[in-house]
Amino acid sequence: MKDWYEKSFGEDYLLVYKHRDIEGAAREVKTMISWLDLPPGAQVLDLCCGTGRHSLALVDAGYRVTGVDLSDVLLREARRLDTKERVEWRQADMRELPLEGGFDAVVNLFTSFGYFREDGEQLKVLREIRRMLKPGGWFIIDFMNSPYVRRHLVPESEREEEGQRIVEKRRIEGDFVIKDISISDMHGTKGTREYHERVKLYTRGRLEEMLHEAGLMTDEVYGGYNEEVDYDEGRSQRMIFVGRRPQERKHK
């Protein structure tokens, strides 16, 4: 049986998350660049790249970019947007990447982490990030701030997009935040489609432990991409980890 992330990132995902814009990605990449010490032409892996908004902004900033995602639908959209074929697009599961590594940086953005039920599966992702990086290479993992989510969860919202009514119901069950999405055609021609999203709610301390276990070192944790980027457990909506794969120790 397919898991939720194998079913939810299709054509309807493009509709539900239509509000994520190219200009916003460019602003976020500008902030990311200020956090990373990367030379022009550095190689960057955008892990779980989706439709490639950030991949393309990273190329515009002067980097060589590989974008990886599991969804063929989202990758098709990414290739459509990449009119000059400047990004290398690859389809793969983030736990097992068909790449050699050697990247200067790996970015994993907008809560493209925590998709699996078991911590061990999440650890596979972190170990792959380490394997992809050169010694001394940088990573960014942009996750939701779980304490904020627990306090400010909106149980239900409804909106219209392109003649479709989108209803999103959210709840917390144990360590998971769950979203049920219902999309119905307001003209009655397509019927109703149902989707389900589930992400594990990690605290800063637990994620730092897992990063350490995977052989990665956290340098900073930010709370967003705007001017007030310092992480605050009570106020920050995001929890953005910036760190490195440690340099190899030279044996005498």
Side-chain angles (χ1 to χ4, degrees), residues 104-181:
D104 298 289
V106 175
V107 299
N108 176 254
L109 307 174
F110 281 94
T111 310
S112 298
F113 184 79
Y115 286 4
F116 312 109
R117 289 188 183 276
E118 304 300 329
D119 285 359
E121 297 302 296
Q122 258 79 258
L123 262 172
K124 287 179 184 177
V125 178
L126 297 179
R127 289 187 174 120
E128 280 293 83
I129 289 174
R130 184 190 185 279
R131 186 177 71 82
M132 289 296 105
L133 288 170
K134 293 176 179 175
W138 292 87
F139 70 84
I140 294 178
I141 296 175
D142 170 8
F143 198 62
M144 60 187 166
N145 179 24
S146 298
Y148 184 92
V149 170
R150 286 184 183 277
R151 283 194 294 270
H152 298 276
L153 191 76
V154 177
E156 185 170 342
S157 57
E158 183 176 327
R159 58 197 162 92
E160 294 174 14
E161 290 279 2
E162 298 178 12
Q164 308 286 309
R165 179 176 286 112
I166 301 169
V167 179
E168 296 172 280
K169 295 182 179 180
R170 306 168 186 86
R171 66 189 189 278
I172 290 171
E173 289 184 4
D175 290 332
F176 294 91
V177 58
I178 295 167
K179 184 194 287 187
D180 294 310
I181 303 168

XYZ file of all heavy atoms in Angstrom, residues 104-181:
660
model
N 28.713 21.011 -2.281
C 29.127 22.059 -1.340
C 28.031 22.363 -0.337
O 28.312 22.838 0.767
C 29.496 23.336 -2.102
C 30.675 23.122 -3.037
O 31.796 22.973 -2.531
O 30.457 23.090 -4.270
N 26.777 22.133 -0.728
C 25.644 22.384 0.178
C 24.459 21.506 -0.213
O 24.281 21.183 -1.392
C 25.233 23.850 0.148
N 23.677 21.121 0.796
C 22.399 20.425 0.594
C 21.331 21.243 1.311
O 21.495 21.599 2.484
C 22.418 18.995 1.158
C 21.032 18.355 1.031
C 23.453 18.140 0.438
N 20.240 21.558 0.605
C 19.128 22.269 1.228
C 17.878 21.401 1.172
O 17.608 20.735 0.177
C 18.880 23.650 0.577
C 20.109 24.532 0.729
C 18.500 23.538 -0.893
N 17.133 21.391 2.284
C 15.896 20.625 2.399
C 14.874 21.587 3.013
O 14.945 21.906 4.193
C 16.139 19.402 3.301
C 14.881 18.600 3.560
O 14.328 18.662 4.645
N 14.422 17.831 2.589
N 13.937 22.065 2.184
C 13.180 23.270 2.532
C 11.685 23.022 2.746
O 11.114 22.080 2.215
C 13.380 24.324 1.438
C 14.858 24.646 1.100
C 14.941 25.590 -0.082
C 15.579 25.220 2.309
N 11.084 23.909 3.519
C 9.639 23.948 3.764
C 9.064 22.605 4.218
O 8.158 22.057 3.603
C 8.898 24.527 2.557
C 9.005 26.027 2.537
C 10.006 26.644 1.812
C 8.156 26.804 3.310
C 10.154 28.026 1.845
C 8.302 28.182 3.350
C 9.304 28.798 2.618
N 9.641 22.116 5.317
C 9.147 20.913 5.979
C 9.021 19.746 5.006
O 7.965 19.135 4.869
C 7.802 21.195 6.702
O 7.963 22.374 7.518
C 7.412 20.056 7.620
N 10.122 19.479 4.303
C 10.207 18.273 3.471
C 10.955 17.201 4.255
O 11.787 16.471 3.719
C 10.935 18.585 2.165
O 10.231 19.553 1.431
N 10.668 17.122 5.534
C 11.327 16.202 6.456
C 10.273 15.747 7.456
O 9.250 16.409 7.650
C 12.478 16.934 7.171
C 13.300 16.050 8.072
C 14.266 15.220 7.532
C 13.091 16.042 9.444
C 15.022 14.393 8.360
C 13.833 15.218 10.271
C 14.811 14.392 9.718
N 10.504 14.599 8.083
C 9.551 14.103 9.068
C 8.378 13.359 8.472
O 7.352 13.182 9.125
N 8.521 12.905 7.225
C 7.424 12.248 6.515
C 7.164 10.817 6.988
O 6.099 10.258 6.708
C 7.731 12.179 5.015
C 7.600 13.482 4.264
C 7.298 14.677 4.903
C 7.772 13.509 2.878
C 7.176 15.855 4.201
C 7.654 14.691 2.157
C 7.353 15.865 2.829
O 7.240 17.030 2.113
N 8.134 10.216 7.661
C 8.051 8.788 7.982
C 7.651 8.584 9.445
O 7.862 9.447 10.291
C 9.399 8.120 7.686
C 9.934 8.483 6.319
C 11.036 9.314 6.194
C 9.308 8.022 5.168
C 11.521 9.678 4.943
C 9.783 8.378 3.915
C 10.884 9.206 3.800
N 7.082 7.434 9.725
C 6.612 7.164 11.086
C 7.768 6.955 12.066
O 7.696 7.354 13.218
C 5.699 5.925 11.088
C 4.352 6.176 10.439
C 3.422 4.984 10.655
N 2.143 5.186 9.982
C 1.119 5.858 10.482
N 1.226 6.425 11.673
N -0.016 5.982 9.816
N 8.840 6.306 11.593
C 9.918 5.911 12.489
C 11.103 6.863 12.400
O 11.496 7.290 11.311
C 10.386 4.487 12.129
C 9.289 3.434 12.149
C 8.635 3.295 13.517
O 9.317 3.514 14.537
O 7.436 2.969 13.565
N 11.705 7.143 13.572
C 12.905 7.989 13.597
C 14.028 7.400 12.748
O 14.810 8.131 12.141
C 13.397 8.167 15.037
C 12.532 9.126 15.837
O 11.553 9.664 15.271
O 12.843 9.342 17.023
N 14.102 6.080 12.714
C 15.153 5.422 11.939
C 15.091 5.768 10.452
O 16.133 5.878 9.784
N 13.883 5.951 9.924
C 13.734 6.324 8.512
C 14.166 7.774 8.300
O 14.787 8.116 7.292
C 12.284 6.130 8.063
C 11.804 4.690 8.120
C 12.671 3.773 7.254
O 12.690 3.953 6.027
O 13.330 2.885 7.830
N 13.828 8.645 9.272
C 14.293 10.031 9.199
C 15.829 10.099 9.268
O 16.466 10.905 8.583
C 13.705 10.841 10.357
C 12.535 11.742 9.984
C 11.205 11.044 9.846
O 10.774 10.784 8.731
N 10.525 10.756 10.937
N 16.406 9.240 10.096
C 17.874 9.199 10.216
C 18.535 8.807 8.903
O 19.617 9.295 8.573
C 18.291 8.216 11.314
C 18.617 8.823 12.670
C 18.819 7.724 13.705
C 19.850 9.705 12.599
N 17.884 7.934 8.140
C 18.416 7.572 6.816
C 18.556 8.802 5.931
O 19.524 8.947 5.186
C 17.503 6.542 6.125
C 17.564 5.145 6.712
C 16.612 4.219 5.959
C 16.578 2.831 6.589
N 15.606 1.951 5.895
N 17.567 9.699 6.027
C 17.616 10.942 5.237
C 18.807 11.784 5.674
O 19.575 12.283 4.843
C 16.301 11.742 5.394
C 16.382 13.050 4.614
C 15.106 10.911 4.936
N 18.980 11.949 6.979
C 20.080 12.773 7.487
C 21.441 12.172 7.120
O 22.387 12.906 6.792
C 19.956 12.934 9.005
C 18.693 13.657 9.496
C 18.674 13.724 11.016
C 18.583 15.050 8.891
N 21.532 10.852 7.150
C 22.801 10.205 6.770
C 23.068 10.363 5.275
O 24.224 10.476 4.857
C 22.779 8.731 7.173
C 22.866 8.552 8.691
C 23.019 7.096 9.103
N 23.243 7.001 10.540
C 22.456 6.343 11.396
N 21.377 5.703 10.936
N 22.726 6.308 12.685
N 22.008 10.377 4.474
C 22.182 10.637 3.045
C 22.633 12.078 2.802
O 23.463 12.336 1.932
C 20.887 10.361 2.279
C 20.640 8.897 1.974
C 21.664 8.333 0.994
O 22.767 7.962 1.450
O 21.373 8.254 -0.213
N 22.088 13.011 3.583
C 22.547 14.403 3.467
C 24.035 14.471 3.770
O 24.802 15.117 3.044
C 21.731 15.324 4.409
C 20.296 15.478 3.875
C 22.401 16.697 4.547
C 19.356 16.238 4.797
N 24.468 13.785 4.832
C 25.899 13.772 5.158
C 26.713 13.168 4.016
O 27.756 13.693 3.628
C 26.154 12.993 6.444
C 27.623 13.031 6.880
C 27.906 12.062 8.019
N 29.274 12.216 8.475
C 30.339 11.674 7.882
N 30.181 10.943 6.776
N 31.551 11.863 8.360
N 26.224 12.052 3.472
C 26.955 11.380 2.378
C 27.056 12.269 1.142
O 28.049 12.231 0.420
C 26.269 10.051 2.025
C 27.028 9.210 1.007
C 26.340 7.883 0.771
N 25.096 7.991 0.037
C 24.991 8.080 -1.281
N 26.076 8.101 -2.049
N 23.799 8.154 -1.854
N 26.022 13.081 0.902
C 26.026 13.953 -0.271
C 27.026 15.105 -0.148
O 27.473 15.658 -1.154
C 24.625 14.543 -0.489
C 23.569 13.556 -0.987
S 23.952 12.909 -2.629
C 24.509 11.250 -2.194
N 27.361 15.466 1.085
C 28.195 16.650 1.307
C 29.688 16.346 1.252
O 30.138 15.306 1.733
C 27.880 17.262 2.679
C 26.544 17.982 2.827
C 26.288 18.302 4.293
C 26.531 19.255 1.987
N 30.443 17.293 0.709
C 31.882 17.271 0.893
C 32.179 17.490 2.375
O 31.401 18.151 3.066
C 32.537 18.436 0.123
C 32.469 18.355 -1.374
C 33.074 19.628 -1.957
C 33.065 19.584 -3.488
N 33.535 20.869 -4.059
N 33.319 16.999 2.890
C 33.720 17.400 4.237
C 33.786 18.931 4.316
O 34.350 19.580 3.443
C 35.106 16.779 4.390
C 35.081 15.587 3.462
C 34.249 16.031 2.291
N 33.140 19.489 5.325
C 33.058 20.945 5.435
C 31.887 21.554 4.700
O 31.643 22.762 4.790
N 31.129 20.731 3.951
C 29.975 21.227 3.205
C 28.815 21.579 4.126
O 28.669 21.040 5.223
N 27.970 22.494 3.658
C 26.888 23.053 4.459
C 25.547 22.371 4.181
O 25.295 21.911 3.072
C 26.718 24.539 4.134
C 27.858 25.396 4.572
C 29.002 25.667 3.879
C 27.971 26.096 5.806
N 29.824 26.500 4.603
C 29.213 26.783 5.793
C 27.142 26.226 6.922
C 29.644 27.570 6.853
C 27.566 27.015 7.976
C 28.812 27.677 7.934
N 24.690 22.375 5.199
C 23.298 21.942 4.990
C 22.352 22.974 5.583
O 22.693 23.701 6.529
C 23.040 20.565 5.608
C 23.033 20.541 7.118
C 21.886 20.863 7.838
C 24.180 20.205 7.828
C 21.877 20.853 9.221
C 24.187 20.191 9.212
C 23.026 20.515 9.918
N 21.152 23.037 5.011
C 20.027 23.779 5.598
C 18.834 22.831 5.631
O 18.463 22.246 4.609
C 19.661 25.028 4.770
C 20.793 26.061 4.809
C 18.361 25.652 5.284
C 20.527 27.301 3.965
N 18.266 22.647 6.810
C 17.016 21.892 6.952
C 15.986 22.852 7.538
O 16.118 23.317 8.666
C 17.187 20.647 7.846
C 18.168 19.664 7.189
C 15.830 19.975 8.086
C 18.499 18.467 8.043
N 14.990 23.167 6.739
C 13.963 24.149 7.087
C 12.709 23.383 7.508
O 12.017 22.796 6.672
C 13.716 25.041 5.865
C 12.504 25.933 6.022
O 11.934 25.982 7.122
O 12.135 26.581 5.029
N 12.446 23.377 8.815
C 11.361 22.583 9.388
C 10.376 23.513 10.094
O 10.700 24.662 10.395
C 11.966 21.573 10.378
C 11.072 20.426 10.738
C 10.643 19.530 9.773
C 10.679 20.221 12.044
C 9.825 18.455 10.093
C 9.867 19.154 12.391
C 9.432 18.270 11.412
N 9.178 23.031 10.350
C 8.224 23.819 11.142
C 8.670 23.852 12.603
O 9.332 22.921 13.078
C 6.827 23.210 11.027
C 6.754 21.783 11.521
S 5.155 21.047 11.186
C 5.543 19.314 11.481
N 8.318 24.918 13.313
C 8.602 25.004 14.742
C 7.470 24.300 15.490
O 6.380 24.841 15.664
C 8.711 26.466 15.173
C 8.979 26.594 16.661
O 9.498 25.680 17.291
N 8.614 27.728 17.224
N 7.744 23.079 15.918
C 6.690 22.221 16.471
C 5.958 22.824 17.670
O 4.723 22.734 17.743
C 7.282 20.855 16.834
O 7.771 20.228 15.670
N 6.647 23.458 18.647
C 5.892 24.074 19.757
C 4.901 25.135 19.275
O 3.788 25.239 19.798
C 6.995 24.693 20.629
C 8.209 23.874 20.335
C 8.106 23.537 18.876
N 5.291 25.915 18.261
C 4.390 26.925 17.705
C 3.192 26.260 17.034
O 2.043 26.692 17.205
C 5.152 27.799 16.706
C 4.334 28.944 16.140
C 4.359 30.199 16.753
C 3.532 28.780 15.004
C 3.590 31.251 16.254
C 2.771 29.824 14.504
C 2.803 31.053 15.126
O 2.046 32.087 14.641
N 3.454 25.194 16.287
C 2.377 24.475 15.602
C 1.370 23.935 16.616
O 0.148 24.040 16.427
C 2.949 23.328 14.738
C 1.839 22.419 14.221
C 3.749 23.892 13.565
N 1.868 23.371 17.693
C 0.967 22.795 18.701
C 0.058 23.864 19.311
O -1.108 23.597 19.623
C 1.786 22.121 19.808
C 2.411 20.784 19.385
C 3.132 20.126 20.553
N 3.794 18.896 20.175
C 3.205 17.697 20.099
N 1.910 17.580 20.366
N 3.902 16.627 19.750
N 0.574 25.082 19.466
C -0.215 26.146 20.102
C -1.121 26.903 19.139
O -2.129 27.465 19.545
C 0.723 27.145 20.790
C 1.276 26.657 22.115
C 1.906 27.780 22.911
N 3.091 28.302 22.243
C 4.328 27.824 22.438
N 4.521 26.810 23.259
N 5.353 28.356 21.812
N -0.755 26.929 17.863
C -1.462 27.799 16.916
C -2.128 27.037 15.761
O -2.479 27.646 14.759
C -0.487 28.829 16.337
C 0.090 29.749 17.367
N -0.558 30.883 17.800
C 1.254 29.691 18.049
C 0.181 31.492 18.708
N 1.283 30.789 18.885
N -2.305 25.756 15.918
C -2.907 24.968 14.830
C -4.305 25.483 14.489
O -5.138 25.667 15.369
C -2.972 23.493 15.232
C -3.333 22.526 14.102
C -2.134 22.321 13.177
C -3.767 21.173 14.664
N -4.535 25.696 13.194
C -5.867 26.097 12.718
C -6.615 24.815 12.350
O -6.243 24.127 11.393
C -5.757 27.026 11.485
C -7.137 27.380 10.951
C -4.958 28.281 11.827
N -7.669 24.457 13.103
C -8.321 23.153 12.887
C -8.904 22.975 11.486
O -8.882 21.877 10.940
C -9.428 23.116 13.948
C -8.998 24.097 14.979
C -8.262 25.169 14.242
N -9.438 24.074 10.912
C -10.072 23.928 9.592
C -10.017 25.244 8.830
O -10.160 26.317 9.404
C -11.528 23.478 9.743
C -12.210 23.193 8.417
C -13.566 22.514 8.574
O -13.851 21.961 9.658
O -14.345 22.545 7.593
N -9.776 25.148 7.535
C -9.844 26.325 6.660
C -10.428 25.902 5.322
O -10.357 24.736 4.926
C -8.447 26.933 6.472
O -7.544 25.982 5.944
N -11.008 26.876 4.633
C -11.662 26.595 3.348
C -11.389 27.755 2.396
O -11.371 28.921 2.798
C -13.164 26.431 3.562
C -13.929 26.070 2.292
C -15.410 25.814 2.569
O -15.751 25.301 3.657
O -16.218 26.152 1.684
N -11.151 27.431 1.119
C -10.932 28.470 0.108
C -11.286 27.908 -1.260
O -11.553 26.706 -1.403
C -9.482 28.967 0.126
C -8.445 27.895 -0.109
C -7.055 28.360 0.338
N -6.148 27.253 0.505
C -5.345 26.785 -0.434
N -5.335 27.343 -1.641
N -4.536 25.778 -0.205
N -11.276 28.803 -2.240
C -11.581 28.402 -3.616
C -10.400 28.721 -4.510
O -9.774 29.770 -4.382
C -12.828 29.140 -4.127
C -14.096 28.767 -3.391
C -15.280 29.614 -3.825
O -15.172 30.296 -4.879
O -16.315 29.603 -3.115
N -10.078 27.795 -5.413
C -9.027 27.988 -6.412
C -9.486 27.374 -7.727
O -9.817 26.182 -7.767
C -7.710 27.298 -5.984
C -6.985 27.928 -4.821
C -6.135 29.128 -5.207
O -6.141 29.505 -6.396
O -5.475 29.681 -4.313
N -9.536 28.161 -8.763
C -9.827 27.660 -10.117
C -11.094 26.791 -10.154
O -11.120 25.720 -10.763
C -8.623 26.869 -10.648
C -7.369 27.714 -10.787
C -6.174 26.904 -11.275
O -6.371 25.748 -11.727
O -5.054 27.427 -11.211
N -12.141 27.275 -9.486
C -13.405 26.545 -9.506
C -13.433 25.308 -8.627
O -14.355 24.490 -8.718
N -12.436 25.156 -7.759
C -12.363 24.019 -6.848
C -12.462 24.523 -5.412
O -11.830 25.530 -5.047
C -11.037 23.267 -7.024
C -10.720 22.867 -8.453
C -11.563 21.707 -8.929
O -11.649 20.677 -8.278
N -12.197 21.871 -10.084
N -13.253 23.839 -4.594
C -13.322 24.168 -3.162
C -12.321 23.277 -2.425
O -12.372 22.047 -2.530
C -14.729 23.949 -2.623
C -14.840 24.267 -1.120
C -16.263 24.141 -0.606
N -17.095 25.262 -1.048
C -18.097 25.160 -1.903
N -18.389 23.992 -2.441
N -18.820 26.219 -2.243
N -11.393 23.924 -1.695
C -10.354 23.203 -0.963
C -10.627 23.354 0.527
O -10.635 24.466 1.064
C -8.955 23.764 -1.296
C -8.689 23.651 -2.803
C -7.875 23.030 -0.500
C -7.465 24.418 -3.269
N -10.870 22.238 1.195
C -11.083 22.224 2.643
C -9.913 21.484 3.282
O -9.609 20.346 2.912
C -12.422 21.538 3.011
C -12.598 21.512 4.532
C -13.593 22.250 2.350
N -9.246 22.151 4.237
C -8.111 21.545 4.932
C -8.434 21.427 6.417
O -8.713 22.422 7.081
C -6.857 22.396 4.729
C -6.429 22.450 3.262
C -5.304 23.449 3.006
O -5.608 24.657 2.915
O -4.148 23.033 2.899
N -8.417 20.210 6.932
C -8.668 19.944 8.353
C -7.378 19.453 8.989
O -6.731 18.537 8.463
C -9.794 18.911 8.513
C -11.137 19.409 8.003
C -12.231 18.384 8.233
C -13.585 18.911 7.747
N -14.672 17.935 7.961
N -7.011 20.063 10.122
C -5.728 19.770 10.764
C -5.951 19.304 12.199
O -6.799 19.828 12.912
C -4.839 21.020 10.756
C -4.639 21.619 9.378
C -4.007 23.006 9.448
N -3.948 23.648 8.133
C -4.937 24.357 7.604
N -6.066 24.510 8.282
N -4.802 24.908 6.418
N -5.147 18.331 12.612
C -5.221 17.842 13.989
C -3.851 17.307 14.403
O -2.999 17.030 13.550
C -6.277 16.749 14.119
C -5.966 15.474 13.363
C -7.152 14.520 13.354
N -6.826 13.205 12.813
C -6.777 12.920 11.519
N -7.023 13.870 10.613
N -6.476 11.692 11.117
N -3.671 17.163 15.697
C -2.437 16.581 16.224
C -2.788 15.273 16.911
O -3.696 15.224 17.755
C -1.729 17.550 17.189
C -1.162 18.741 16.391
C -0.606 16.842 17.948
C -0.635 19.872 17.229
N -2.086 14.221 16.512
C -2.246 12.908 17.141
C -0.877 12.470 17.632
O 0.003 12.129 16.835
C -2.804 11.891 16.143
C -4.255 12.127 15.777
C -4.815 11.046 14.855
O -4.078 10.066 14.565
O -5.973 11.176 14.432
N -0.678 12.531 18.938
C 0.620 12.152 19.501
C 1.720 13.062 18.999
O 1.676 14.277 19.201
N 2.698 12.475 18.321
C 3.849 13.236 17.811
C 3.682 13.657 16.355
O 4.664 14.064 15.724
C 5.134 12.400 17.939
C 5.547 12.242 19.388
O 5.217 13.134 20.201
O 6.186 11.232 19.722
N 2.481 13.560 15.811
C 2.279 13.872 14.397
C 1.241 14.974 14.217
O 0.231 15.007 14.924
C 1.811 12.634 13.623
C 2.846 11.549 13.546
C 2.899 10.552 14.519
C 3.780 11.528 12.520
C 3.862 9.555 14.457
C 4.744 10.531 12.454
C 4.784 9.545 13.426
N 1.503 15.866 13.260
C 0.474 16.794 12.811
C -0.082 16.219 11.509
O 0.667 15.809 10.618
C 1.025 18.229 12.617
C 2.168 18.300 11.623
C -0.101 19.177 12.205
N -1.381 16.169 11.436
C -2.062 15.508 10.318
C -2.984 16.505 9.631
O -3.703 17.263 10.290
C -2.857 14.281 10.809
C -1.872 13.226 11.364
C -3.710 13.683 9.693
C -2.533 12.126 12.163
N -2.926 16.514 8.318
C -3.810 17.375 7.536
C -4.610 16.501 6.560
O -4.028 15.722 5.800
C -3.000 18.414 6.751
C -3.874 19.406 5.976
C -3.083 20.203 4.951
C -2.198 21.239 5.576
N -1.573 22.114 4.526
N -5.926 16.636 6.602
C -6.802 15.982 5.636
C -7.304 17.041 4.674
O -7.871 18.060 5.094
C -7.978 15.306 6.343
C -7.522 14.150 7.219
O -6.778 13.302 6.718
O -7.889 14.123 8.410
N -7.086 16.803 3.394
C -7.445 17.772 2.359
C -8.554 17.194 1.492
O -8.447 16.069 0.998
C -6.216 18.103 1.477
C -5.069 18.621 2.350
C -6.576 19.132 0.406
C -3.739 18.697 1.615
